[in-house]
Amino acid sequence: MVKLFASYNKEVKVVVLGNAPQNAKYTSRTIQKDILDLMACNVQRAIRNEIGNAKFCSIVDDSRDESRKEQMALVVHFVDKDGFVRERFLDLIHVHDTCSATLK
């Protein structure tokens, strides 16, 4: 995962693959979560740039995961500059309950 992230970012590539100590594995749960959070932010930023000033609608749906925790999926639906309808998944958020006030 670190190598993949470094392949997209020159600054990370220099530090991670060039100057990192040889015993650095970056396998702890917190490091991996931080890396995934950074990648998710980059993907969300790219989606926001793709939407730009176009009109869009948000689609919110709820479900339970395998551990029976309630979660909310957030998807945007829009027409791109070429006139094609697009749908992009933005986030999956854990919620306490799935009543409409909570999802709002």
Side-chain angles (χ1 to χ4, degrees):
M1 228 181 344
V2 173
K3 289 180 182 178
L4 175 66
F5 185 62
S7 69
Y8 288 102
N9 190 318
K10 294 176 186 175
E11 294 173 5
V12 173
K13 185 175 185 176
V14 170
V15 174
V16 171
L17 301 177
N19 299 329
Q22 296 301 314
N23 63 347
K25 301 276 187 208
Y26 304 104
T27 56
S28 75
R29 190 177 338 178
T30 55
I31 296 293
Q32 289 182 2
K33 184 168 177 13
D34 288 345
I35 291 170
L36 286 173
D37 285 342
L38 288 171
M39 293 172 87
C41 286
N42 286 338
V43 169
Q44 289 173 351
R45 186 180 310 114
I47 292 170
R48 286 192 303 270
N49 290 339
E50 183 182 10
I51 294 172
N53 292 329
K55 296 192 183 314
F56 67 93
C57 68
S58 58
I59 302 168
V60 178
D61 195 13
D62 64 285
S63 64
R64 282 190 183 168
D65 63 7
E66 194 170 306
S67 63
R68 297 190 186 272
K69 290 183 182 176
E70 296 292 341
Q71 55 192 8
M72 173 179 71
L74 181 60
V75 177
V76 290
H77 194 80
F78 64 99
V79 177
D80 68 7
K81 62 184 177 186
D82 298 323
F84 293 104
V85 176
R86 303 287 183 194
E87 206 173 74
R88 299 288 186 256
F89 172 79
L90 279 183
D91 206 356
L92 189 63
I93 305 163
H94 287 283
V95 292
H96 297 290
D97 59 40
T98 56
C99 69
S100 60
T102 302
L103 298 180
K104 181 182 174 189

